[in-house]
Amino acid sequence: MRWWDIDPVLELEKDLFPEDAWSRGMFWSELAHSRGSDATRRYLVAEDAGRIVGYAGLASSGELADVQTIAVARDQQGTGLGALLLTELLKAATAFECSEVMLECRVDNVRAQKLYERFGFEPIGFRRGYYQPGNVDALVMRLTTESNSGSAAGSSSVQGTETND
């Protein structure tokens, strides 16, 4: 993801997460930590025919990585794009030498939970009222990468879609 991707990413963000969409400033801040030798973030976009149809981001700190966001355009859901984006984030976690990857997922987002479980993530707890303003709980999930080769289901490419970082 580059700075010029922020506006189309924000459009997708507002469509998919209207109540708790990230702001422009949040994306700028994350991208500021994704370059150079001290980078602690990895953000990427997926494009189809020049249109951004997905994006994802990961933050690292020591041996711990955190999936910050994964989003797939409504017309691309169910195509394997979410799995492709998650695969790329797990590769980034390996590159950052992280042994654990954490994430939060809305308790009502069963589709995403199933994707994460396919990759070996396990539920470890809840964060009550995490998603605001809707006061929706988050399911906290963890993957220990030491026992996971990173080649979980969904590692194949999606035809007609490319990821750009």
Side-chain angles (χ1 to χ4, degrees):
M1 185 183 296
R2 304 282 193 203
W3 66 267
W4 54 81
D5 295 320
I6 291 177
D7 283 340
V9 163
L10 278 173
E11 288 179 33
L12 191 52
E13 175 83 2
K14 289 174 186 172
D15 177 53
L16 296 171
F17 313 111
E19 288 188 359
D20 52 3
W22 282 23
S23 68
R24 181 181 318 279
M26 290 171 78
F27 280 107
W28 272 105
S29 177
E30 290 297 297
L31 288 182
H33 297 288
S34 68
R35 302 282 177 237
S37 60
D38 294 334
T40 58
R41 306 289 195 274
R42 177 85 165 122
Y43 277 78
L44 52 115
V45 297
E47 295 182 335
D48 184 26
R51 174 180 151 240
I52 291 179
V53 294
Y55 57 91
L58 178 102
S60 70
S61 178
E63 293 185 1
L64 179 65
D66 188 69
V67 174
Q68 303 285 38
T69 187
I70 295 182
V72 174
R74 294 180 195 280
D75 64 333
Q76 298 289 315
Q77 293 177 0
T79 65
L81 181 55
L84 178 62
L85 290 168
L86 184 54
T87 297
E88 292 301 313
L89 292 184
L90 294 179
K91 288 178 185 176
T94 299
F96 283 128
E97 299 181 354
C98 297
S99 60
E100 282 188 329
V101 181
M102 306 284 291
L103 61 81
E104 293 89 16
C105 180
R106 290 175 62 107
V107 293
D108 57 0
N109 191 345
V110 177
R111 173 181 255 171
Q113 290 171 33
K114 289 186 182 302
L115 169 67
Y116 302 138
E117 287 171 357
R118 270 191 7 232
F119 277 76
F121 282 86
E122 297 177 342
I124 61 166
F126 295 90
R127 292 197 174 147
R128 303 286 177 209
Y130 183 78
Y131 294 98
Q132 295 296 329
N135 201 37
V136 178
D137 295 345
L139 175 65
V140 181
M141 302 181 83
R142 176 179 60 204
L143 172 69
T144 302
T145 58
E146 292 169 334
S147 63
N148 185 318
S149 66
S151 60
S155 61
S156 60
S157 64
V158 177
Q159 186 175 7
T161 304
E162 60 186 61
T163 57
N164 299 306
D165 50 18

